[in-house]
Amino acid sequence: MTILAAGALLMLAVRRWTLPAVALPAFGLAALSALWTNAPPPAPGTPLVRVVQPDIGQEDRSETDGERVLTALEKLSGQGGATPRLVVWPEGVVRDYVEDGYPFYAYGWSSPLYLRRRMARLLGPEDILLIGGTALEFNRDQISGAANSVFALDAQARLRGRYDKAHLVPYGEYLPMPWLLKPLGLARLVPRRHRFHLWQGPCEPDAAGLRLDRYADLLRDHFLG
């Protein structure tokens, strides 16, 4: 829609009238219709979705910004009540690890239980918080890889599920053509502690990660029964 509007204005500037004569009135009517369009109020008890954006630019991010970002997310997430909510945080914003069971050295000075309880204080009894964070993989207690993951947290500070991102962003989440770029001095392009693994296929149902369809089933069952 934006591209069409820009094209119509450009054609108007060069005195080609056909597209602007059709497109600009249509865009104007569409904009005016918003003034008389009111969505009906949700029925009582309808689950709500709250999307939280801490508004911290990528240029201000670093590997040590975990507390700053977490505090901003907490302030913007509101407090839970009787109405169930799905609170959604952006991907990759929680620096510390929320899963139990890693070797002690992986946590540094953080505690996954404390972190989950801190976030769970924001939730009402039926709320679910979707956390964007990192899941680690180990081989003989050594970190072998990481996944860009979404975790579902309930009000009892329990992790209800995890979904690992299937398609990573080249030059952002992984470095393509390492045989060419690493000799040129490029090892990574964004701040993070571990290399994300490239997805090899859907997780099995009994694995730590959930397939996307099972993740959707988990949320639907929680909110709709």
Side-chain angles (χ1 to χ4, degrees):
M1 184 71 75
T2 302
I3 295 174
L4 286 175
L9 292 174
L10 178 62
M11 296 186 73
L12 187 62
V14 297
R15 299 178 180 274
R16 298 179 64 177
W17 311 109
T18 305
L19 178 61
V22 175
L24 293 179
F27 295 146
L29 288 174
L32 289 174
S33 67
L35 300 176
W36 293 278
T37 301
N38 294 313
T46 300
L48 304 177
V49 177
R50 186 182 184 102
V51 179
V52 182
Q53 174 53 257
D55 196 24
I56 299 175
Q58 189 64 41
E59 67 277 8
D60 297 325
R61 299 296 307 277
S62 70
E63 293 186 7
T64 59
D65 65 358
E67 181 61 31
R68 175 191 176 198
V69 175
L70 185 57
T71 299
L73 291 168
E74 290 173 329
K75 290 180 178 178
L76 296 171
S77 294
Q79 288 294 326
T83 301
R85 301 182 307 159
L86 178 65
V87 183
V88 182
W89 288 0
E91 70 170 302
V93 295
V94 177
R95 294 289 190 190
D96 292 326
Y97 305 120
V98 299
E99 287 187 308
D100 295 318
Y102 296 168
F104 73 92
Y105 71 85
Y107 296 110
W109 294 101
S110 66
S111 163
L113 179 58
Y114 168 80
L115 182 60
R116 294 198 306 271
R117 287 176 174 173
R118 176 178 172 178
M119 294 185 289
R121 289 199 298 265
L122 306 170
L123 305 178
E126 297 299 325
D127 290 355
I128 290 288
L129 171 62
L130 295 186
I131 307 162
T134 302
L136 296 182
E137 297 178 348
F138 294 87
N139 181 14
R140 296 182 179 179
D141 286 340
Q142 297 299 313
I143 298 173
S144 59
N148 188 0
S149 304
V150 177
F151 304 89
L153 181 77
D154 66 18
Q156 287 73 47
R158 298 175 301 189
L159 291 179
R160 301 285 297 275
R162 186 188 102 204
Y163 174 72
D164 297 341
K165 187 174 181 179
H167 303 288
L168 302 181
V169 179
Y171 302 102
E173 293 168 316
Y174 76 97
L175 190 69
M177 299 184 295
W179 54 270
L180 172 63
L181 298 179
K182 283 188 175 182
L184 298 177
L186 290 178
R188 60 179 181 172
L189 301 176
V190 295
R192 64 174 185 270
R193 281 176 280 185
H194 305 292
R195 176 181 60 86
F196 289 141
H197 66 66
L198 290 176
W199 187 66
Q200 300 299 323
C203 298
E204 294 300 324
D206 57 351
L210 297 175
R211 295 192 309 246
L212 185 57
D213 57 344
R214 288 177 55 83
Y215 202 79
D217 290 343
L218 181 152
L219 296 176
R220 183 179 63 247
D221 293 343
H222 177 82
F223 287 109
L224 302 179

